[in-house]
C-alpha cells in the first residue's frame, strides 16, 4: 500500500516539476534553458537515491514476503549505483549552480530568496555527500542516521528552492 502511494507521489513530483519548469517558467536564453534541464536531471537522480530510504522502509514494514524479497533483491543491486548516482547528480547540479550564478544572480540579486535557498541546498548536498562518504568508510548507527536525515532535509530544501518564483 505505502509503496503505491510513494510511487504515485514520485510520479506527480517529476511530472509536476517538468510541467512547472517547461511550461510555466520558460526562458528565451539557451543558457538558462540548459540550467533548467540540468536541474531537472539532477532532481530525478537525487529522487532516485532518496527513494532508497522508502524502499528499505517498505521492506521493514510490509508483511508480504514476496514484496520483501523482491525489494531486497532490487535494493542489493541498486546500492551498487547509489554513490555513482549521487556524484553524477552533484556534478550536474554544479553546472546548474554555475550557470545561475553568472546569468540569473546578477539580474535578481545574489540575496534573492531563490538564490539563498539554492546556496543552502547546495551546502546541505555537500554535507549529505560528506556524511555518505564517512558512512561508506566506516558505518555506524550515528553516521547512517545522520546521512539519512541530511538527505531528507536536503530533499525538502531543494524542492522548496525549485518552486520559489523569481
Amino acid at each position: 500500500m505505502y509503496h503505491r502511494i510513494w510511487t504515485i507521489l514520485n510520479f506527480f513530483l517529476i511530472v509536476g516539476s517538468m510541467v512547472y519548469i517547461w511550461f510555466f517558467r520558460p526562458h528565451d536564453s539557451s543558457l538558462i534553458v540548459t540550467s533548467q534541464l540540468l536541474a531537472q536531471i539532477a532532481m530525478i537522480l537525487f529522487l532516485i537515491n532518496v527513494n532508497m530510504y522508502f524502499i528499505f522502509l517498505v521492506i521493514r514494514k510490509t508483511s508480504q514476503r514476496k514484496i520483501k524479497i523482491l525489494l531486497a533483491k532490487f535494493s542489493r543491486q541498486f546500492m551498487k549505483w547509489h554513490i555513482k548516482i549521487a556524484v553524477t547528480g552533484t556534478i550536474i547540479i554544479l553546472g546548474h549552480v554555475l550557470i545561475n550564478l553568472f546569468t540569473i544572480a546578477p539580474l535578481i540579486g545574489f540575496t534573492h530568496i531563490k538564490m539563498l535557498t539554492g546556496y543552502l541546498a547546495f551546502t546541505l548536498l555537500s554535507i549529505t555527500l560528506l556524511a555518505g562518504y564517512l558512512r561508506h568508510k566506516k558505518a555506524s548507527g550515528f553516521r547512517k542516521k545522520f546521512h539519512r536525515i541530511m538527505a531528507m532535509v536536503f530533499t525538502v530544501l531543494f524542492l522548496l528552492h525549485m518552486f520559489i518564483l523569481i
Side-chain angles (χ1 to χ4, degrees), residues 33-97:
V33 170
T34 301
S35 173
Q36 288 175 316
L37 180 62
L38 292 174
Q40 188 76 47
I41 293 168
M43 181 203 71
I44 292 169
L45 292 174
F46 292 140
L47 281 178
I48 289 169
N49 268 354
V50 167
N51 278 320
M52 282 309 298
Y53 169 74
F54 295 98
I55 289 171
F56 291 133
L57 186 66
V58 171
I59 291 170
R60 275 196 315 269
K61 298 289 183 183
T62 190
S63 59
Q64 297 176 8
R65 183 168 159 67
K66 279 186 173 181
I67 290 176
K68 282 186 181 208
I69 292 170
L70 179 73
L71 289 176
K73 286 179 181 178
F74 171 78
S75 64
R76 196 170 297 129
Q77 292 301 313
F78 180 79
M79 284 309 286
K80 295 174 184 175
W81 292 93
H82 182 76
I83 294 171
K84 295 171 185 155
I85 290 171
V87 170
T88 302
T90 302
I91 291 168
I92 290 171
I93 210 65
L94 193 57
H96 168 76
V97 167

Side-chain angles (χ1 to χ4, degrees), residues 21 42 72 94 137 156 160:
I21 288 172
L94 193 57
K137 287 297 173 194
V156 169
L160 175 71

Side-chain angles (χ1 to χ4, degrees), residues 1-161:
M1 171 78 174
Y2 296 114
H3 61 282
R4 290 187 187 121
I5 293 169
W6 187 248
T7 302
I8 291 168
L9 284 174
N10 274 281
F11 174 79
F12 281 120
L13 179 62
I14 291 170
V15 171
S17 68
M18 290 173 123
V19 168
Y20 173 74
I21 288 172
W22 301 110
F23 295 107
F24 293 106
R25 304 296 300 158
H27 291 279
D28 294 333
S29 167
S30 61
L31 209 52
I32 294 175
V33 170
T34 301
S35 173
Q36 288 175 316
L37 180 62
L38 292 174
Q40 188 76 47
I41 293 168
M43 181 203 71
I44 292 169
L45 292 174
F46 292 140
L47 281 178
I48 289 169
N49 268 354
V50 167
N51 278 320
M52 282 309 298
Y53 169 74
F54 295 98
I55 289 171
F56 291 133
L57 186 66
V58 171
I59 291 170
R60 275 196 315 269
K61 298 289 183 183
T62 190
S63 59
Q64 297 176 8
R65 183 168 159 67
K66 279 186 173 181
I67 290 176
K68 282 186 181 208
I69 292 170
L70 179 73
L71 289 176
K73 286 179 181 178
F74 171 78
S75 64
R76 196 170 297 129
Q77 292 301 313
F78 180 79
M79 284 309 286
K80 295 174 184 175
W81 292 93
H82 182 76
I83 294 171
K84 295 171 185 155
I85 290 171
V87 170
T88 302
T90 302
I91 291 168
I92 290 171
I93 210 65
L94 193 57
H96 168 76
V97 167
L98 292 173
I99 290 170
N100 286 340
L101 279 175
F102 291 105
T103 57
I104 293 185
L107 298 174
I108 66 172
F110 289 91
T111 57
H112 188 277
I113 189 72
K114 181 84 165 180
M115 298 303 293
L116 295 175
T117 56
Y119 305 148
L120 186 55
F122 191 77
T123 301
L124 289 173
L125 173 60
S126 301
I127 293 169
T128 303
L129 288 172
L130 178 62
Y133 174 77
L134 293 174
R135 180 173 186 255
H136 179 72
K137 287 297 173 194
K138 183 179 181 216
S140 71
F142 173 77
R143 289 179 180 191
K144 178 180 176 181
K145 187 175 182 180
F146 184 69
H147 178 61
R148 183 177 61 237
I149 289 170
M150 292 309 301
M152 295 302 162
V153 172
F154 162 69
T155 301
V156 169
L157 193 65
F158 93 71
L159 290 173
L160 175 71
H161 166 74

